[in-house]
Amino acid sequence: MRCLLFFLMLLTAAPAAAQSRDGIGNGRLFDNDMLGDGHDRWRTGSFVFSHLRAPRPYDGTAQPFGALLEYRFRSEIIAPYRRNGDRPYAGVLSLGLHTHFGQGDTQFSLGGDVMAIGPQTGLADFQRGFHSTFGLRRPKTQNALPDQFAIHTTAEARQTIHLGDTTTLRPFIEGQTGAEDLIRAGADLILGSAVGQRDLLLRDVVTGQLYRGTQDDAQGISFVLGGDVAAAGDSLYLPDSQGAAPRETRTRARAGVHWQPVPGLALFYGATYLGPEFKGQDESQVVGSLKLNFNF
């Protein structure tokens, strides 16, 4: 009920929200540690698809609260590394609604997601079948979290600081509550040509990588460097009842490259360092992110 009321608030809070909306872009990003350090563990894989709708196309100018909506679908697999289960296995599916708004170079995002966690998602069966089909090592799906549902909310405030025609710095703060409770602060630096400079950039939940929700016709290459630190609290993924406990601090560092050789064809690859998330995790991991977009 809280989630339904929240979504209705997004749809009715601003006069612009009552206007008809058109699709203005789609964003997607695939994360997998096989594209990073290759160990198939912990934050091992995720996928996000975002569909954006607004009364007018996005031109780099912030729109009013509730006008520009992002409909978000996510899936994620979190896996233990050791056979004895250093953390519980979790399959996660979520559907969410987010709005992006602001004024000038100060922008915000606010939204909520309804999440399904556990064997009910079918992700453990999918992963076992995929590994079996391609002759990969059997995944460690034991010690799985039980079936449950959660409402997760996210809020972010960010500032765009123009350091030149093709260089921007984007410091941000973010708060999350629901599946995981945390407060995060960090920054991203975008270097290069116009790719990504005038697009609406969305933040990936796992890595923090910025993926393009809208895409203009600018051609060239842009590099993205970023990092953040978070103060973490409770986590449904790390319950005390299953011998896991979240660390109080989490760190991430990331780098990526956007390349658009011609209008309608774009590629992104990024790598993200994820510091230890739970007590007993004695090393970090590196996750790779990939997006290939055809739009002709």
Side-chain angles (χ1 to χ4, degrees), residues 30-52:
F30 173 67
D31 298 325
N32 198 285
D33 60 353
M34 295 304 292
L35 301 173
D37 57 26
H39 291 302
D40 193 22
R41 58 182 177 174
W42 304 325
R43 296 282 186 164
T44 184
S46 65
F47 175 77
V48 59
F49 175 80
S50 298
H51 176 63
L52 300 178

Side-chain angles (χ1 to χ4, degrees), residues 276-296:
E277 291 188 0
F278 60 93
K279 297 175 182 179
Q281 182 180 350
D282 53 7
E283 58 182 305
S284 59
Q285 70 177 123
V286 176
V287 173
S289 302
L290 183 66
K291 175 189 175 182
L292 180 61
N293 189 70
F294 295 93
N295 186 22
F296 296 108

Side-chain angles (χ1 to χ4, degrees), residues 28-279:
R28 63 187 67 84
L29 192 69
F30 173 67
D31 298 325
N32 198 285
D33 60 353
M34 295 304 292
L35 301 173
D37 57 26
H39 291 302
D40 193 22
R41 58 182 177 174
W42 304 325
R43 296 282 186 164
T44 184
S46 65
F47 175 77
V48 59
F49 175 80
S50 298
H51 176 63
L52 300 178
R53 301 188 69 84
R56 59 180 173 85
Y58 185 81
D59 59 2
T61 304
Q63 300 191 24
F65 174 77
L68 195 162
L69 298 179
E70 174 198 353
Y71 298 86
R72 181 185 298 174
F73 167 77
R74 283 190 69 246
S75 63
E76 183 178 3
I77 293 174
I78 306 173
Y81 185 40
R82 298 181 177 87
R83 285 292 177 186
N84 60 1
D86 50 9
R87 70 175 296 165
Y89 182 94
V92 181
L93 292 175
S94 71
L95 288 172
L97 179 62
H98 300 251
T99 183
H100 302 267
F101 60 99
Q103 185 171 5
D105 291 330
T106 302
Q107 299 191 12
F108 306 89
S109 63
L110 176 67
D113 299 83
V114 178
M115 308 181 69
I117 303 170
Q120 63 185 336
T121 64
L123 290 174
D125 293 336
F126 168 80
Q127 189 182 23
R128 284 191 293 263
F130 182 88
H131 280 227
S132 176
T133 299
F134 291 94
L136 302 175
R137 181 181 301 176
R138 181 178 175 84
K140 306 174 183 67
T141 57
Q142 67 274 21
N143 192 32
L145 291 177
D147 287 341
Q148 55 192 299
F149 292 92
I151 296 174
H152 188 78
T153 58
T154 305
E156 179 182 309
R158 56 191 178 273
Q159 184 75 24
T160 299
I161 302 172
H162 300 277
L163 304 177
D165 292 340
T166 60
T167 304
T168 57
L169 178 67
R170 292 167 49 113
F172 73 93
I173 57 173
E174 178 189 65
Q176 298 184 25
T177 184
E180 294 194 291
D181 299 337
L182 58 86
I183 298 175
R184 174 176 283 131
D188 297 279
L189 182 67
I190 305 174
L191 304 164
S193 63
V195 176
Q197 297 285 358
R198 293 186 298 272
D199 300 313
L200 179 60
L201 299 176
L202 308 174
R203 188 173 303 282
D204 180 52
V205 172
V206 175
T207 63
Q209 291 281 4
L210 298 176
Y211 63 98
R212 300 167 73 184
T214 61
Q215 184 171 309
D216 60 20
D217 291 335
Q219 301 174 44
I221 296 177
S222 286
F223 298 93
V224 182
L225 302 173
D228 51 64
V229 60
D234 294 336
S235 171
L236 294 180
Y237 306 139
L238 297 165
D240 291 336
S241 61
Q242 293 188 244
R247 290 178 179 263
E248 295 180 354
T249 302
R250 296 183 186 178
T251 56
R252 304 188 299 195
R254 52 191 169 268
V257 57
H258 294 270
W259 178 42
Q260 186 159 294
V262 296
L265 174 62
L267 173 70
F268 172 79
Y269 174 77
T272 304
Y273 162 93
L274 299 178
E277 291 188 0
F278 60 93
K279 297 175 182 179

